[in-house]
């Protein structure tokens, strides 16, 4: 019974951590908009933590380049399992408009495994919340 | 026998009550910010989730310190419910506070180090005040034993109104509310990440959270001593005190530790002396 409660709780309390690998700030502002009273993600138990050791879901915005790939990898490794990763915006998905730049590696999934892709330029707060909820399905999948 | 039953009751009820208070706290805070807020049971979900996560620790001390912190907090609540000695209760809870600092200091992470130093300063700030409150209760009732204090005829609030405010300072610091929330805070994206809790993760963070619930109940229990004569009085006093905490939390900015030390000690000591002199003169 206790085990079941833990598994249900996982879906009810996803703590997010937001990492910006050099985005244009468009997607970041949308992520932060989710925390404002208008969208109020705390309703769903989502808390924005600044610490990978406490986080369950990593939100990554922007393009990955050789410099911040190391940082991204480091942050990902510090998060205890079970964890989810969400790539946000066209840049996070594939590099977006910066795809062809000499320093851009491409999407977030070139460096760490991504569970959910949230498209848009910038992604809408509704879509981001939806992405987090979809990522929770991964935790659900861990059941049993 | 009665003492043991009360102690066990305290150990079992305190975390449930503390978690509910934390949930109501988050809900009311959200309403004050015109948000909807999480469900009341959210703190329980959070802790259950934390217990389901991988155990990642930097060293053995973190495990040990988080457990000692929990046991000390639970024991102090049990001793309070069991109506034993106030001084004993005080020393037991001080052990817990110190072990949390040691857990923070045990890792080389600068965030955790800074957080632990600040936590130490917070402990330094509120412990003398709590001791003064206990001493003043002794001066009124002539005893440190809680069962004898409870046998006192009048509410203590009549003779120690300023000491109750002083206890309110200790409560604000213990609850980690603004303007005294610099060692760690509930919304951990401030200047030093999560302060003393930065390096704790997974189940150990959950243990610390439960210990924090015990501590909330501990301080509220001491507040309840100030109007022990009627149950309605206790409830009225606790609800209004906690609501005042929430208002202060939502209207104040966080301050520096220098400000806290100066402000809390000067005002707290001044109020204690005024109250004690008044007690003697009156
Ligand atoms: S997807 Fe668009 S809005 Fe988002 S970071 Fe890239 S360019 Fe900016």
């Amino acid at each position: 019974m206790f085990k079941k409660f833990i598994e249900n709780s996982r879906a009810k309390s996803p703590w997010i951590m937001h990492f910006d690998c050099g985005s244009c700030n468009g997607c970041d502002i949308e992520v932060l908009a989710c925390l404002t009273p208008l969208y109020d993600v705390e309703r769903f138990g989502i808390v924005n933590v600044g610490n990978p050791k406490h986080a369950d879901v990593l939100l990554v915005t922007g393009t990955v380049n050789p410099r911040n790939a190391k940082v991204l990898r480091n942050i990902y490794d510090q998060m205890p399992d079970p964890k989810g990763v969400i790539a946000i915006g066209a840049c996070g998905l594939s590099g977006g408009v910066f795809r062809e730049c000499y320093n851009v590696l491409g999407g977030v999934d070139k460096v760490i495994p991504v569970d959910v892709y949230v498209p848009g330029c910038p992604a809408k707060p509704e879509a981001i919340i939806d992405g987090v909820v979809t990522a929770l399905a991964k935790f659900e999948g861990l059941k049993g | 026998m009665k003492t043991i039953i009360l102690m066990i009751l305290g150990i079992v009820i305190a975390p449930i009550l503390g978690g509910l208070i934390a949930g109501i706290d988050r809900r009311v805070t959200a309403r004050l910010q015109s948000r909807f807020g999480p469900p009341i049971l959210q703190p329980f979900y959070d802790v259950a989730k934390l217990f389901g996560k991988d155990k990642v620790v930097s060293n053995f001390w973190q495990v040990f310190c988080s457990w000692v912190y929990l046991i000390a907090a639970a024991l102090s609540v049990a001793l309070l419910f069991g109506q034993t000695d106030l001084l004993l209760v005080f020393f037991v809870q001080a052990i817990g506070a110190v072990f949390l600092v040691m857990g923070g200091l045990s890792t080389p992470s600068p965030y955790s180090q800074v957080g632990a130093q600040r936590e130490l300063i917070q402990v330094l700030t509120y412990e003398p005040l709590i001791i003064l409150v206990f001493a003043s209760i002794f001066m009124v009732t002539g005893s440190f034993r809680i069962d004898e204090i409870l046998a006192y005829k009048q509410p203590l609030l009549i003779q120690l109104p300023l000491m109750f405010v002083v206890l309110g300072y200790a409560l604000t610091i213990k609850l980690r509310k603004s303007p005294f929330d610099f060692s760690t805070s509930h919304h951990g994206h401030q200047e030093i990440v999560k302060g003393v809790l930065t390096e704790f993760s997974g189940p150990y963070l959950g243990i610390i959270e439960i210990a924090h619930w015990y501590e909330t109940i501990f301080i509220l229990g001491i507040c309840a001593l100030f109007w022990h004569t009627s149950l309605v009085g206790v409830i009225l006093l606790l609800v209004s005190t906690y609501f005042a905490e929430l208002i202060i939390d939502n209207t104040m900015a966080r301050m520096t530790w220098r400000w806290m030390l100066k402000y809390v000690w000067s005002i707290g000591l001044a109020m204690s002396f005024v109250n004690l002199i008044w007690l003697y003169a009156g």
Side-chain angles (χ1 to χ4, degrees), chain A residues 22-28 61-62 88-92 96-98 120-123:
Chain A
S23 92
C24 77
N25 224 338
C27 287
D28 302 317
T61 54
I88 291 175
C91 295
V97 285
F98 307 111
C121 178

Side-chain angles (χ1 to χ4, degrees), chain A:
Chain A
M1 190 195 87
F2 194 58
K3 219 172 158 200
K4 195 146 183 289
F5 184 60
I6 288 180
E7 277 156 7
N8 288 336
S9 302
R10 223 168 252 155
K12 285 190 172 128
S13 135
W15 288 359
I16 59 168
M17 153 138 192
H18 170 211
F19 181 62
D20 163 13
C21 335
S23 92
C24 77
N25 224 338
C27 287
D28 302 317
I29 276 180
E30 301 300 330
V31 169
L32 294 178
C34 296
L35 304 167
T36 59
L38 182 60
Y39 295 99
D40 185 28
V41 287
E42 209 193 343
R43 274 180 299 164
F44 311 118
I46 301 177
V47 177
N48 184 11
V49 293
N51 183 351
K53 296 198 173 185
H54 298 174
D56 303 302
V57 179
L58 180 63
L59 305 183
V60 190
T61 54
T63 55
V64 183
N65 59 41
R67 269 211 179 251
N68 63 28
K70 280 181 228 146
V71 182
L72 182 62
R73 181 85 230 171
N74 191 0
I75 288 177
Y76 179 78
D77 288 341
Q78 284 189 45
M79 288 168 58
D81 279 319
K83 58 190 167 188
V85 178
I86 304 179
I88 291 175
C91 295
L93 264 53
S94 62
V97 285
F98 307 111
R99 188 171 63 249
E100 306 283 300
C101 293
Y102 65 93
N103 65 337
V104 167
L105 294 180
V108 173
D109 52 4
K110 292 271 184 331
V111 183
I112 54 174
V114 174
D115 299 305
V116 179
Y117 299 88
V118 178
C121 178
K124 284 162 88 176
E126 289 93 336
I128 294 171
I129 297 172
D130 192 42
V132 174
V133 173
T134 316
L136 296 179
K138 181 192 171 191
F139 295 158
E140 304 261 318
L142 289 173
K143 276 184 192 172

Side-chain angles (χ1 to χ4, degrees), chain B residues 9-204:
Chain B
L9 211 64
I11 291 186
V12 176
I13 289 182
I16 298 171
L17 220 57
L20 280 178
I21 289 176
I24 295 169
D25 177 338
R26 280 176 72 176
R27 185 61 169 253
V28 174
T29 304
R31 297 304 310 171
L32 287 175
Q33 297 166 355
S34 76
R35 290 187 289 121
F36 188 72
I40 303 276
L41 293 180
Q42 187 63 45
F44 296 105
Y45 298 142
D46 286 350
V47 167
K49 174 206 72 182
L50 286 172
F51 277 106
K53 294 204 77 165
D54 265 9
K55 298 187 179 74
V56 180
V57 285
S58 312
N59 55 36
F60 165 75
W61 273 100
Q62 288 192 309
V63 183
F64 180 67
C65 290
S66 56
W67 276 107
V68 174
Y69 181 49
L70 175 66
I71 292 168
L75 199 60
S76 65
V77 170
L79 290 172
L80 191 71
F81 272 59
Q83 308 186 350
T84 54
D85 205 292
L86 271 185
L87 286 179
L88 183 64
V89 171
F90 173 80
F91 291 129
V92 170
Q93 73 85 25
I95 288 174
V98 169
F99 267 88
L100 180 63
V101 174
M102 278 170 62
L105 284 176
S106 70
T107 54
S109 149
Y111 296 121
S112 167
Q113 290 277 330
V114 172
Q117 308 282 0
R118 290 179 171 192
E119 176 74 20
L120 202 58
I121 291 163
Q122 285 189 335
V123 171
L124 190 76
T125 316
Y126 70 73
E127 301 283 83
L129 296 184
I130 295 188
I131 271 287
L132 273 173
V133 169
F134 287 174
S136 65
I137 292 179
F138 174 78
M139 287 169 123
V140 172
T141 61
S143 171
F144 278 119
R145 286 196 59 86
I146 298 172
D147 44 0
E148 287 167 29
I149 293 168
L150 289 179
Y152 192 69
K153 290 281 175 307
Q154 281 178 321
L156 292 172
L157 199 59
I158 296 174
Q159 278 169 309
L160 300 168
L162 292 179
M163 292 319 283
F164 188 72
V165 181
V166 172
L167 190 61
Y169 280 119
L171 179 65
T172 322
I173 299 175
K174 249 316 195 209
L175 285 176
R176 314 213 159 94
K177 295 231 174 268
S178 296
F180 306 125
D181 60 344
F182 48 70
S183 81
T184 176
S185 66
H186 287 286
H187 294 279
H189 43 261
Q190 290 170 356
E191 60 196 65
I192 51 164
V193 192
K194 195 79 167 136
V196 67
L197 303 182
T198 304
E199 291 295 314
F200 290 99
S201 64
Y204 305 108

